[in-house]
Amino acid sequence: MLEDLKQEVYEANMRLPKLNLVTFTWGNVSGIDREKGLFVIKPSGVDYEDLKPSDMVVVNLKGEVVEGTMNPSSDTPTHTVLYNKFPKIGGIVHTHSPWAVSFAQAGVAVPALGTTHADTFYGDVPVSDALTKEEIESAYEANTGEVIVRTFEEKHLDPEAIPAILIRQHGPFTWGATADKAVYNAKVLEAVAEMDYHTLQLTRDDCKVPQYLLDKHYYRKHGEGAYYGQDNAKSQGHAKRS
Amino acid sequence: MLEDLKQEVYEANMRLPKLNLVTFTWGNVSGIDREKGLFVIKPSGVDYEDLKPSDMVVVNLKGEVVEGTMNPSSDTPTHTVLYNKFPKIGGIVHTHSPWAVSFAQAGVAVPALGTTHADTFYGDVPVSDALTKEEIESAYEANTGEVIVRTFEEKHLDPEAIPAILIRQHGPFTWGATADKAVYNAKVLEAVAEMDYHTLQLTRDDCKVPQYLLDKHYYRKHGEGAYYGQDNAKSQGHAKRS
Amino acid sequence: MLEDLKQEVYEANMRLPKLNLVTFTWGNVSGIDREKGLFVIKPSGVDYEDLKPSDMVVVNLKGEVVEGTMNPSSDTPTHTVLYNKFPKIGGIVHTHSPWAVSFAQAGVAVPALGTTHADTFYGDVPVSDALTKEEIESAYEANTGEVIVRTFEEKHLDPEAIPAILIRQHGPFTWGATADKAVYNAKVLEAVAEMDYHTLQLTRDDCKVPQYLLDKHYYRKHGEGAYYGQDNAKSQGHAKRS
Amino acid sequence: MLEDLKQEVYEANMRLPKLNLVTFTWGNVSGIDREKGLFVIKPSGVDYEDLKPSDMVVVNLKGEVVEGTMNPSSDTPTHTVLYNKFPKIGGIVHTHSPWAVSFAQAGVAVPALGTTHADTFYGDVPVSDALTKEEIESAYEANTGEVIVRTFEEKHLDPEAIPAILIRQHGPFTWGATADKAVYNAKVLEAVAEMDYHTLQLTRDDCKVPQYLLDKHYYRKHGEGAYYGQDNAKSQGHAKRS
């Protein structure tokens, strides 16, 4: 069942330790088959060096295990909420990567200070409110999903344009069109958080990039006018134009 | 004698360099057989790349060497005190891991600022007082054990719920149900100290997590209601419940 | 066509991940054949582990692709401007290396605080102005080259003596007599930025080195009086003189 | 000639990149044969991956090359001065290791804040004055040695008890009974500088360790009363005593 997706999600999970995004088992990746309405996720608490594609657990959009002998990630209810509320995303990643967690613990959004950020995130990566006592004590992991959705609604943010958030007192969630792109976004967030931390220590000036730089860099890589890489129609023309 | 425990303690020691917790020989792990009242510990000053299971030294609860041709770790008296005073622990680790030492030198406890911390430590990881001139000049290593015990008594802390301390002007000791779990706790402490350091530079606000988050995360992984991982009875039910 | 140069530029590109200067595809190296007026550059958005010498793209000094099936780096117009305006340079590197980017985002030049800096850079590594809305919206990458040239002109800097710049809100460009030397300079810049960051946090005193130290160290490695290494005529004599 | 010493100095040099103490060729190790009055040193500007034992250069205590086809390290005159003025040392290391350089550039001594420091350095690692214009312009490298000696004399420090210094605006020199021990001391200095940096950011309190802790830890590893490791007479007795 969903063997290709299991392989893909397995490989996406295995990139987390390779990209220095996880310590021990502190991370998980899922990917969804939108037609079937089923997603595949890492089992809970399994060491990355022991993980196999067949360990992946299949879950439906009610959060029920449909196939698999292992317990799915304890964060499965968070993934379930996000797949339901963000209908265009195809993969989700959660880690405790150290730079992103440092911002999450401080309650500080990762600001858009440069082109590295603008290439992937079309604005600051927001930080959610801390979950309340009631949210934590009842359906904690599902409520973590709800607080993500609420943050994007309240701030009028587009989850496709800013595919990441910091959960206050916890850490980052990222997502993307596929499990693999969600992992890519998790690494970009970590890299940008590291650089932003140092920038914020070097100066007290406001260093946020202007809107036109966000526009230029984000759309250089995304959408119809994109010309970065080998797959974009305008790439060759652009290079020759200059 | 205690060949299985020697192998286990050897392997736990070898995880220290793998987890980037030691430079040179600056660390040691021990594990105890409570029935026999004997513990096994790394020999003093031996390079990790030269270490063999048969080098492990067997020590009784008076701190006397019972078996082994090498000198045990110079910190053996500290381990002896902890095994006597904390009767439920099964393994102990000492390192000079850099982030934990940075806090120890500053005399700053590692605060509970997020879920990474709360998953393992049920509150701030305390810092002891500096040892006095008298404590240092007489039975120094044993007194290091005594100051750990005293700190937990004075602060009314449970060594099972907070299996770690920073010795002022020195560095961390961690412990756990086994030598392997004590190593795990040493790595969590180092990871949390790194993230907390950066959080404390990012903001002057009080970022401590509330008691109900500590409760939720600590008991998600520990005790009867635990549902994280593959070995907890409630895991599967929890995943399906949402 | 230009097979030797392709191999050389390929190898220079492959040093970027080895020297921890790139994440994903965030970097590119080019090298020029001045006699033919053609330069060779990395293709756009190709993973370093997939890169082959034959993937290198040949471009002329108008920025037109002359040979190659892949799109050249999206930064090709920046390289084109620099090769035209800095006629003595033979190779160019662009990365998003984290320490250099941290300074670029803060708008802080990398100051000359020690001999590590003075051995390679004959003064502070400057930071450019941010590109204006007009510069970003029209011929962005070419204008990035123009802002580099303008910064050197306005500050009366010699691009051979200071072979590096930080683009505000973006990151570093370095260059050198060859592609390989440009990579060397990219690593020196990153190393110096890391050390300078920490120096600036340790003290508020002015720590800039005096002109005579810049003279001594820069000319110990560059020009007729150089005596560092195995290739300089005075080396042997110097060692014996002391 | 001195084949054993060449091998030993070669191996000590090769530990520098393994211990992350050098970038490119920015470091050198020498070792001396006191009976013959000759020392062996790394050739200048040779990559570590190309280095061979036979490349080592033999130099006498006047700083003259006695054997070897390559130019010796450009820092050879500094080594020469130290071997002449510190008659008990057997090996010398110079690196640009990043944490030690950060302190050297700031003009801040590496303070004795914990037992990691006290195990190796019997007090703060001092920082020298910056070399004057005259000192830099004439016999620069020899004057670097003279400023080291002067600093130890003026501060009444014992180069055996504190086998390290930071040259202002430059970086660290360390030494020891052998080339290998000098490398060990270079790594300890780097580790301690890293931890001290973070400690100094965590608190403004004075965290220097008291004299009795320095005494305890330094003499636990050095001199007649030493009991750390496998080679000290008192070790076994100490472990059994407690």
Side-chain angles (χ1 to χ4, degrees):
Chain A
M1 190 177 189
L2 298 173
E3 298 308 316
D4 287 356
L5 186 59
K6 279 183 194 166
Q7 180 67 29
E8 183 186 322
V9 170
Y10 164 76
E11 286 174 11
N13 271 289
M14 294 308 288
R15 290 181 72 204
L16 296 185
K18 221 176 152 188
L19 291 167
N20 295 317
L21 294 172
V22 289
T23 300
F24 297 125
T25 62
W26 310 343
N28 49 71
V29 183
S30 71
I32 192 165
D33 182 323
R34 284 285 178 190
E35 287 194 18
K36 297 204 171 70
L38 297 173
F39 67 92
V40 163
I41 192 165
K42 179 178 179 290
S44 182
V46 175
D47 280 342
Y48 280 93
E49 50 193 31
D50 299 330
L51 203 62
K52 300 186 300 293
S54 59
D55 293 337
M56 300 296 121
V57 184
V58 182
V59 181
N60 68 19
L61 283 171
K62 294 181 200 158
E64 296 163 337
V65 171
V66 171
E67 192 206 57
T69 56
M70 304 187 95
N71 299 329
S73 165
S74 60
D75 296 312
T76 298
T78 316
H79 292 242
T80 309
V81 169
L82 293 182
Y83 282 126
N84 280 297
K85 298 291 178 66
F86 293 166
K88 293 185 183 169
I89 69 175
I92 298 170
V93 172
H94 173 52
T95 76
H96 287 221
S97 64
W99 290 103
V101 169
S102 300
F103 277 80
Q105 292 187 152
V108 175
V110 177
L113 302 185
T115 61
T116 322
H117 188 114
D119 279 336
T120 296
F121 303 115
Y122 189 55
D124 298 353
V125 173
V127 59
S128 77
D129 290 335
L131 272 72
T132 63
K133 188 167 189 294
E134 290 66 35
E135 288 170 334
I136 284 180
E137 291 179 350
S138 68
Y140 170 55
E141 290 83 0
N143 285 332
T144 298
E146 299 295 348
V147 84
I148 293 172
V149 174
R150 196 170 68 220
T151 304
F152 272 72
E153 285 172 358
E154 286 175 2
K155 294 180 188 281
H156 305 290
L157 300 175
D158 174 1
E160 286 182 272
I162 301 180
I165 193 171
L166 306 176
I167 307 294
R168 185 79 204 263
Q169 297 169 342
H170 189 157
F173 276 83
T174 63
W175 48 83
T178 62
D180 198 57
K181 286 199 176 151
V183 171
Y184 180 89
N185 293 340
K187 181 66 180 181
V188 177
L189 177 59
E190 184 67 2
V192 169
E194 178 181 354
M195 298 191 296
D196 284 5
Y197 172 87
H198 294 118
T199 298
L200 295 174
Q201 304 290 316
L202 280 169
T203 180
R204 297 281 162 197
D205 293 348
D206 178 10
C207 295
K208 289 224 188 156
V209 297
Q211 184 61 38
Y212 51 84
L213 186 146
L214 279 175
D215 288 341
K216 176 67 186 179
H217 268 266
Y218 189 74
Y219 291 113
R220 203 168 75 139
K221 285 199 163 181
H222 298 85
E224 293 222 336
Y227 57 86
Y228 182 94
Q230 300 301 325
D231 303 328
N232 291 306
K234 291 195 178 177
S235 302
Q236 190 74 6
H238 176 84
K240 288 195 170 160
R241 190 183 63 210
S242 59
Chain B
M1 189 177 190
L2 298 173
E3 297 308 317
D4 286 356
L5 186 59
K6 280 182 195 166
Q7 181 67 30
E8 183 187 321
V9 170
Y10 164 76
E11 286 174 14
N13 270 289
M14 294 309 288
R15 291 180 72 203
L16 295 185
K18 221 176 153 188
L19 291 167
N20 294 317
L21 294 172
V22 289
T23 300
F24 297 124
T25 62
W26 308 344
N28 49 72
V29 184
S30 71
I32 192 165
D33 181 324
R34 283 285 177 191
E35 287 193 17
K36 296 205 173 70
L38 298 173
F39 68 91
V40 163
I41 192 164
K42 180 177 178 292
S44 181
V46 175
D47 280 342
Y48 281 94
E49 50 193 32
D50 299 330
L51 203 62
K52 300 186 300 292
S54 59
D55 294 338
M56 300 297 121
V57 184
V58 182
V59 181
N60 68 19
L61 283 170
K62 294 181 201 159
E64 297 163 335
V65 171
V66 172
E67 190 205 58
T69 55
M70 304 186 94
N71 299 329
S73 164
S74 61
D75 296 313
T76 298
T78 316
H79 292 242
T80 308
V81 169
L82 293 182
Y83 282 125
N84 280 298
K85 298 292 177 68
F86 293 166
K88 293 186 184 169
I89 67 175
I92 298 171
V93 172
H94 172 52
T95 76
H96 287 222
S97 64
W99 291 103
V101 168
S102 300
F103 278 79
Q105 292 187 153
V108 175
V110 177
L113 302 185
T115 61
T116 322
H117 188 113
D119 279 337
T120 296
F121 302 115
Y122 189 55
D124 298 354
V125 173
V127 59
S128 78
D129 290 334
L131 272 72
T132 63
K133 188 168 190 294
E134 289 67 34
E135 288 169 335
I136 284 180
E137 292 180 349
S138 67
Y140 170 56
E141 290 84 0
N143 285 332
T144 298
E146 298 295 348
V147 85
I148 293 172
V149 174
R150 196 169 70 220
T151 304
F152 273 71
E153 285 173 358
E154 286 175 2
K155 293 181 188 283
H156 306 289
L157 300 175
D158 173 0
E160 284 182 273
I162 301 181
I165 193 171
L166 305 176
I167 307 294
R168 186 79 203 263
Q169 297 170 339
H170 189 158
F173 276 83
T174 64
W175 48 84
T178 61
D180 199 56
K181 286 198 177 151
V183 171
Y184 180 88
N185 293 341
K187 181 66 180 182
V188 177
L189 177 59
E190 184 67 3
V192 168
E194 178 180 354
M195 299 192 295
D196 284 5
Y197 172 87
H198 294 118
T199 298
L200 294 173
Q201 305 289 317
L202 280 169
T203 180
R204 296 282 161 197
D205 293 348
D206 179 10
C207 295
K208 289 223 187 157
V209 296
Q211 183 61 38
Y212 51 84
L213 186 146
L214 279 176
D215 288 341
K216 177 68 186 177
H217 268 266
Y218 188 74
Y219 291 113
R220 203 169 75 139
K221 286 200 165 181
H222 299 86
E224 293 222 337
Y227 58 86
Y228 182 94
Q230 300 301 324
D231 302 329
N232 291 306
K234 292 197 179 177
S235 301
Q236 191 73 7
H238 177 84
K240 288 195 170 161
R241 191 182 62 209
S242 60
Chain C
M1 189 177 191
L2 298 173
E3 297 309 315
D4 287 355
L5 186 59
K6 279 183 194 164
Q7 181 67 30
E8 182 186 322
V9 170
Y10 164 76
E11 287 174 12
N13 270 288
M14 294 308 288
R15 290 181 73 202
L16 295 186
K18 222 178 151 186
L19 291 168
N20 295 316
L21 293 173
V22 289
T23 300
F24 297 125
T25 63
W26 308 345
N28 49 71
V29 184
S30 71
I32 192 166
D33 181 323
R34 284 284 176 189
E35 286 193 19
K36 297 203 171 71
L38 298 172
F39 67 92
V40 164
I41 192 165
K42 180 179 178 290
S44 182
V46 175
D47 281 341
Y48 281 94
E49 51 193 31
D50 299 330
L51 202 62
K52 298 186 300 295
S54 59
D55 293 338
M56 300 297 119
V57 184
V58 182
V59 182
N60 68 19
L61 283 170
K62 294 181 200 159
E64 298 163 335
V65 171
V66 172
E67 192 207 57
T69 57
M70 304 187 96
N71 298 329
S73 165
S74 60
D75 296 312
T76 298
T78 315
H79 292 240
T80 308
V81 169
L82 294 182
Y83 283 125
N84 280 298
K85 298 292 177 66
F86 293 165
K88 293 185 183 169
I89 68 176
I92 298 170
V93 172
H94 173 51
T95 76
H96 287 221
S97 64
W99 291 103
V101 169
S102 300
F103 277 80
Q105 292 187 153
V108 175
V110 178
L113 302 185
T115 61
T116 322
H117 189 114
D119 279 337
T120 296
F121 302 115
Y122 189 55
D124 299 353
V125 173
V127 59
S128 78
D129 290 335
L131 272 73
T132 63
K133 188 167 190 292
E134 291 64 37
E135 288 169 335
I136 284 179
E137 291 179 352
S138 68
Y140 170 55
E141 290 84 359
N143 285 332
T144 299
E146 299 294 349
V147 85
I148 294 172
V149 174
R150 196 170 68 222
T151 304
F152 273 72
E153 286 172 357
E154 286 174 3
K155 295 181 188 280
H156 305 290
L157 300 176
D158 173 0
E160 286 181 271
I162 300 181
I165 194 171
L166 306 176
I167 306 295
R168 185 79 203 262
Q169 298 168 341
H170 189 158
F173 276 83
T174 63
W175 48 83
T178 62
D180 198 56
K181 287 199 175 150
V183 171
Y184 180 88
N185 293 340
K187 180 66 181 181
V188 177
L189 177 58
E190 184 68 2
V192 168
E194 177 181 354
M195 298 192 295
D196 284 5
Y197 172 88
H198 294 119
T199 298
L200 295 173
Q201 304 290 316
L202 280 170
T203 181
R204 295 284 161 196
D205 294 347
D206 178 9
C207 296
K208 290 224 187 157
V209 296
Q211 184 61 38
Y212 51 84
L213 186 148
L214 279 175
D215 288 341
K216 176 68 186 178
H217 268 266
Y218 188 74
Y219 291 112
R220 201 169 75 139
K221 284 199 166 182
H222 299 86
E224 294 221 337
Y227 58 86
Y228 181 94
Q230 300 301 324
D231 303 329
N232 291 306
K234 291 195 180 178
S235 301
Q236 190 74 5
H238 176 83
K240 289 197 170 160
R241 191 183 60 210
S242 59
Chain D
M1 188 177 192
L2 297 173
E3 298 309 315
D4 287 355
L5 186 59
K6 278 183 195 165
Q7 181 68 29
E8 182 187 322
V9 170
Y10 164 76
E11 286 174 12
N13 269 289
M14 294 308 288
R15 290 180 73 203
L16 295 185
K18 221 177 152 187
L19 292 167
N20 294 316
L21 294 172
V22 290
T23 300
F24 297 124
T25 63
W26 308 345
N28 49 71
V29 183
S30 71
I32 193 165
D33 180 324
R34 284 284 176 190
E35 287 194 18
K36 296 204 173 71
L38 298 173
F39 67 91
V40 163
I41 192 165
K42 179 178 179 290
S44 182
V46 174
D47 281 342
Y48 281 93
E49 51 193 31
D50 299 330
L51 202 61
K52 299 186 300 294
S54 58
D55 293 339
M56 300 297 121
V57 184
V58 182
V59 181
N60 67 20
L61 283 170
K62 294 181 202 160
E64 297 163 336
V65 171
V66 171
E67 191 206 58
T69 56
M70 305 187 94
N71 298 329
S73 164
S74 61
D75 296 312
T76 298
T78 316
H79 292 241
T80 308
V81 169
L82 293 182
Y83 283 125
N84 280 297
K85 298 292 177 67
F86 293 167
K88 293 185 183 169
I89 68 175
I92 298 170
V93 172
H94 173 51
T95 76
H96 288 221
S97 64
W99 290 104
V101 169
S102 300
F103 277 80
Q105 291 186 154
V108 175
V110 177
L113 302 185
T115 61
T116 322
H117 189 112
D119 279 337
T120 296
F121 302 116
Y122 189 55
D124 298 354
V125 173
V127 60
S128 78
D129 290 334
L131 272 72
T132 63
K133 187 167 191 291
E134 290 66 35
E135 288 169 334
I136 285 180
E137 292 180 350
S138 68
Y140 170 55
E141 291 84 0
N143 285 332
T144 298
E146 298 294 348
V147 84
I148 293 172
V149 174
R150 196 169 68 221
T151 304
F152 273 72
E153 285 172 358
E154 285 174 4
K155 294 181 188 280
H156 305 289
L157 300 175
D158 173 1
E160 285 181 272
I162 301 181
I165 193 171
L166 305 177
I167 306 295
R168 186 78 204 263
Q169 297 168 341
H170 190 157
F173 276 83
T174 63
W175 47 83
T178 62
D180 198 57
K181 287 200 176 148
V183 171
Y184 180 88
N185 294 340
K187 180 66 181 182
V188 177
L189 177 59
E190 185 66 3
V192 168
E194 177 181 354
M195 299 192 294
D196 284 4
Y197 172 87
H198 293 119
T199 297
L200 295 173
Q201 304 290 316
L202 280 169
T203 181
R204 295 284 162 197
D205 293 348
D206 178 9
C207 296
K208 290 224 186 155
V209 296
Q211 184 61 38
Y212 51 84
L213 187 146
L214 280 176
D215 288 341
K216 176 68 187 178
H217 268 267
Y218 189 73
Y219 291 113
R220 203 169 75 139
K221 285 199 165 183
H222 299 85
E224 293 221 337
Y227 58 86
Y228 182 94
Q230 300 300 326
D231 302 329
N232 290 306
K234 292 197 180 177
S235 301
Q236 190 74 3
H238 177 84
K240 289 196 169 159
R241 192 182 60 210
S242 58

